[in-house]
Amino acid sequence: TKTFTEANPCQNSYSVAKVFCVHAVGILVDRQLLSESDRLTEVLKDEIDFDYESDWDKVTLKNLLTHKSGLQTDCLDIDNNDASTFGDDFLKRALQTPLTSEPDEEEFYTDAAYYLIARMVEATTGKTLNAFLYDELFAPTAFREVAWSTDPQGHTLGGTGLYVRTEDMAKLGVIYANGGVLNGRQYISSEWIRAVLQNGYEFRPLNGADGWYGKFGMNGQLLAFNPRTRETLAWHGYGNFGDELIDALVSCGK
């Protein structure tokens, strides 16, 4: 570990939060409680008590994981917009937003997709995404402290707002670098890890860093791992460090 600038122990991981959301989905897929082909509105049917755009009925979990739902807006982006403008029902706000393309047609990065995934996890488990991962990951791997931003009704945001220590964030990378295992316990299947890497579920190849997969967050956050060398790098910062971090990985590889 290396600290360049003293800061609070817990840091906002911004969009690195999405890979933790992906991990929760993987647990449920492994247990056959969710499928990538499951439709959003079917899973959330008991939560939807309002009129919504009917095109959302076509959207699957995989469409959301790959940002190909057809939603092309920064809806529910609390990092760049005033969250108070989204109202007190984020689910209603998202599902009443029209889709501008067919699902699986175009990729458009939006935090709303991962908020909806978080709601699917909650509907399946009866626990918020944060509470579910506390039981399945944070507590078993001894995260020292963790918090996750919520909507006004207490539902975990999913796509951002995860506050953890950098050393703890690295544990997820270690799990994925080691075929799903940490300290002798299997946290996720190797089949799910292959699905994540093949489909680009947030962890994607880092250009110029051979064998490394990573997820960046706004303002210089990074969680990266290399399944070939079984190495992991976790980084919290505040600035534009993308190229510098990849250069560091390339240098380590040499």
Side-chain angles (χ1 to χ4, degrees), residues 79-150:
D79 297 320
N80 292 302
N81 299 291
D82 183 346
S84 67
T85 63
F86 300 135
D88 60 3
D89 190 334
F90 280 22
L91 181 62
K92 183 177 181 179
R93 175 61 179 262
L95 297 188
Q96 289 186 342
T97 302
L99 303 182
T100 55
S101 64
E102 286 294 311
D104 208 36
E105 194 172 88
E106 295 181 73
E107 181 176 340
F108 188 89
Y109 191 88
T110 172
D111 284 353
Y114 275 72
Y115 172 76
L116 294 172
I117 293 171
R119 294 297 299 265
M120 292 178 78
V121 170
E122 183 176 339
T124 303
T125 64
K127 301 176 182 179
T128 65
L129 173 65
N130 188 26
F132 178 66
L133 282 180
Y134 185 85
D135 292 341
E136 300 291 339
L137 178 68
F138 302 148
T141 60
F143 274 50
R144 291 179 63 184
E145 50 186 320
V146 59
W148 211 324
S149 298
T150 72

Side-chain angles (χ1 to χ4, degrees), residues 2-185:
K2 175 68 176 177
T3 300
F4 297 94
T5 303
E6 291 295 330
N8 291 326
C10 274
Q11 300 295 320
N12 191 350
S13 305
Y14 295 99
S15 281
V16 174
K18 292 181 176 68
V19 295
F20 286 85
C21 195
V22 166
H23 182 70
V25 170
I27 294 171
L28 297 178
V29 170
D30 282 348
R31 295 176 184 173
Q32 299 184 330
L33 297 174
L34 271 181
S35 165
E36 294 152 282
S37 61
D38 285 346
R39 296 190 181 275
L40 169 69
T41 55
E42 181 62 26
V43 175
L44 297 184
K45 61 185 178 183
D46 292 336
E47 312 297 322
I48 302 172
D49 58 0
F50 50 82
D51 294 331
Y52 62 92
E53 293 286 330
S54 60
D55 282 346
W56 281 104
D57 288 334
K58 305 174 187 177
V59 175
T60 66
L61 176 56
K62 185 172 185 178
N63 296 150
L64 295 169
L65 287 166
T66 54
H67 297 278
K68 293 182 178 180
S69 66
L71 181 66
Q72 297 191 25
T73 173
D74 58 358
C75 176
L76 307 186
D77 182 353
I78 67 165
D79 297 320
N80 292 302
N81 299 291
D82 183 346
S84 67
T85 63
F86 300 135
D88 60 3
D89 190 334
F90 280 22
L91 181 62
K92 183 177 181 179
R93 175 61 179 262
L95 297 188
Q96 289 186 342
T97 302
L99 303 182
T100 55
S101 64
E102 286 294 311
D104 208 36
E105 194 172 88
E106 295 181 73
E107 181 176 340
F108 188 89
Y109 191 88
T110 172
D111 284 353
Y114 275 72
Y115 172 76
L116 294 172
I117 293 171
R119 294 297 299 265
M120 292 178 78
V121 170
E122 183 176 339
T124 303
T125 64
K127 301 176 182 179
T128 65
L129 173 65
N130 188 26
F132 178 66
L133 282 180
Y134 185 85
D135 292 341
E136 300 291 339
L137 178 68
F138 302 148
T141 60
F143 274 50
R144 291 179 63 184
E145 50 186 320
V146 59
W148 211 324
S149 298
T150 72
D151 71 5
Q153 297 177 343
H155 305 288
T156 308
L157 285 184
T160 189
L162 175 64
Y163 291 80
V164 293
R165 291 173 180 254
T166 314
E167 303 95 315
D168 288 332
M169 186 170 80
K171 293 171 183 175
L172 186 67
V174 174
I175 289 170
Y176 279 66
N178 287 278
V181 177
L182 176 64
N183 295 330
R185 174 170 169 175

